Amino acid sequence: MKKTARLLNSKRDEVIDRWEKEVLQQVKAAPTSNKIALQDHVPNILDDIIEILNRHENTDDYFNDEKIHQIEENSLEHGRHRANSPNYTVDQIIHEYMIFNNVIISVLHKNDIAEESVFHLIKCSIDKAMLNSVTSFSESIQEMQNKLIGTLAHDIRNPLAAARMAIEMINYETGRERFEKVKKMSYNSVNRAIELVEGLLDSITVKAGEGIMLSFSETDLNQDIQTIYEEACEVFSEDIILKKKEQSIKGVFDGTAIRRLMENLINNAVKYGHSEKPVTITITNEDDWLKISVHNFGEPIPLDKQKEIFNFMEHGIQQRGKKLKSYGIGLTLVKMVAEAHGGSVELKSTKDFGTEFKIKLNKHKNAPGKKRTILNTEA
């Protein structure tokens, strides 16, 4: 088996290249992935198999080899990453592993390796990896669904809390103007909660690589942004400043999603900002772009965590011990919404400057209608 291990090690790049080529030709979802995402943990799994072959002369005891556990780890991560890649299904993951097995056997045959015990070990190792990947894939899809639904359910509480507060504030004695303002706030909050419930229903079924469903329409966000600001001022005691020109902000947007985006950023700014210094919201309306920034003073986000907090993968079970989890997957939602609008998210966070999230949205990227966001796990 050591001879086979040496051969596979020398042919490692050939195996991976052939596997990649055949996967791109035969697996429907593969062409949508870049080369790094496509290969994922497959080279690591091959290295594990080579190491197992190098350590054993027969198949009697290799199941107790610690490298089998390494295969388990790599294959679990492979399934988890495939769950975050658009359009993948269980049968396509199985197909990838079948191609992997066939390529390895083909290379061995080509080089006059025909030991049944070697083929048996390789097949058992790949079967174990395949089973782990499929299990991890299915569990990750369920985890995504639970997180998306959980985030929606959590966000529903914000408008309902605002509506309840508005109802509690209704008092005819404060004057008609104040009464109408509070009444409008209550109406808008309840209406937004209803829209979020509709989004909750859209999130019941999630496929690999999918995020929340957005509903785009021609709209003017000027009043929505003003309302978000006014409600934030009512809800929070901290000083909140809005810098915005009084002009229409017309484009094709999902207004509900942008409200959620802004509410998440404002909530985080208040939660993690210095209570005695203001939170500043700046709106810049250009011909093709809408730019939204939310700035607060306070402890900065550590530099090595600034990319991770946007990553859906970093909020999984393995990350429960990390402090960054307190930011929630709200920032993942912010990134999804921005990218679905053809835009981006930038973060600057230092001790002297404070923390600022800059959102850039393309006003004309989308046509009216529904569109499901993509979970982009790349940094």
Side-chain angles (χ1 to χ4, degrees), residues 20 23-25 27-34 38 86 88 92 96:
E20 181 184 325
V23 165
L24 286 170
Q25 291 174 343
V27 179
K28 187 177 180 180
T32 62
S33 301
N34 62 40
L38 178 63
Y88 265 92
Q92 293 186 66
E96 284 186 339

Side-chain angles (χ1 to χ4, degrees), residues 167-211:
I167 292 170
E168 292 172 350
M169 291 166 55
I170 290 178
N171 186 341
Y172 290 104
E173 295 178 1
T174 59
R176 184 172 183 81
E177 183 179 349
R178 175 64 175 169
F179 173 78
E180 290 296 332
K181 180 180 179 181
V182 172
K183 177 183 174 182
K184 183 179 179 181
M185 176 180 168
S186 178
Y187 174 83
N188 289 338
S189 296
V190 171
N191 194 49
R192 192 160 80 258
I194 293 171
E195 291 173 345
L196 288 171
V197 169
E198 292 173 351
L200 189 65
L201 297 175
D202 282 331
S203 296
I204 289 174
T205 302
V206 174
K207 296 179 182 178
E210 291 184 343

Side-chain angles (χ1 to χ4, degrees), residues 67-130:
K67 271 294 175 181
I68 287 291
H69 300 298
Q70 192 66 40
I71 284 182
E72 291 178 2
E73 181 179 333
N74 283 319
S75 56
L76 287 170
E77 285 300 312
H78 181 73
R80 186 168 177 81
H81 279 79
R82 284 294 184 259
N84 285 273
S85 301
N87 306 315
Y88 265 92
T89 58
V90 167
D91 63 307
Q92 293 186 66
I93 294 174
I94 293 173
H95 195 179
E96 284 186 339
Y97 275 106
M98 290 172 63
I99 293 171
F100 189 43
N101 182 75
N102 291 340
V103 167
I104 293 174
I105 299 304
S106 174
V107 169
L108 295 182
H109 277 307
K110 184 179 177 182
N111 289 272
D112 301 321
I113 302 292
E115 298 175 48
E116 286 299 322
S117 59
V118 168
F119 296 159
H120 176 72
L121 188 153
I122 291 170
K123 185 178 185 305
C124 288
S125 298
I126 291 177
D127 284 350
K128 189 172 187 65
M130 179 170 61

Side-chain angles (χ1 to χ4, degrees), residues 188-327:
N188 289 338
S189 296
V190 171
N191 194 49
R192 192 160 80 258
I194 293 171
E195 291 173 345
L196 288 171
V197 169
E198 292 173 351
L200 189 65
L201 297 175
D202 282 331
S203 296
I204 289 174
T205 302
V206 174
K207 296 179 182 178
E210 291 184 343
I212 60 173
M213 182 74 78
L214 299 188
S215 183
F216 291 92
S217 62
E218 290 272 2
T219 188
D220 185 347
L221 291 179
N222 185 55
Q223 187 55 52
D224 285 335
I225 291 171
Q226 186 67 34
T227 300
I228 292 168
Y229 164 67
E230 291 174 1
E231 289 181 359
C233 291
E234 292 281 358
V235 172
F236 299 113
S237 59
E238 286 79 1
D239 187 17
I240 301 176
I241 299 169
L242 174 62
K243 296 181 178 180
K244 175 179 71 72
K245 293 182 179 179
E246 288 301 323
Q247 61 183 29
S248 64
I249 305 174
K250 292 183 179 179
V252 180
F253 304 105
D254 182 318
T256 300
I258 292 173
R259 287 188 69 110
R260 294 180 67 197
L261 176 152
M262 290 189 64
E263 286 170 352
N264 270 291
L265 293 179
I266 294 169
N267 288 345
N268 278 341
V270 171
K271 183 177 180 180
Y272 299 106
H274 195 297
S275 61
E276 296 181 0
K277 293 187 177 181
V279 170
T280 303
I281 307 164
T282 304
I283 307 297
T284 305
N285 185 26
E286 300 177 353
D287 289 341
D288 295 318
W289 297 93
L290 170 62
K291 297 178 181 178
I292 303 168
S293 74
V294 178
H295 175 273
N296 66 272
F297 293 95
E299 286 299 313
I301 300 170
L303 185 61
D304 62 336
K305 305 301 182 189
Q306 290 185 17
K307 288 185 178 180
E308 293 182 20
I309 61 175
F310 294 106
N311 194 336
F312 186 90
M313 294 286 288
E314 297 300 331
H315 300 285
I317 295 171
Q318 297 175 343
Q319 305 297 328
R320 283 179 180 168
K322 289 190 176 182
K323 189 175 180 181
L324 67 89
K325 76 185 176 89
S326 59
Y327 289 98

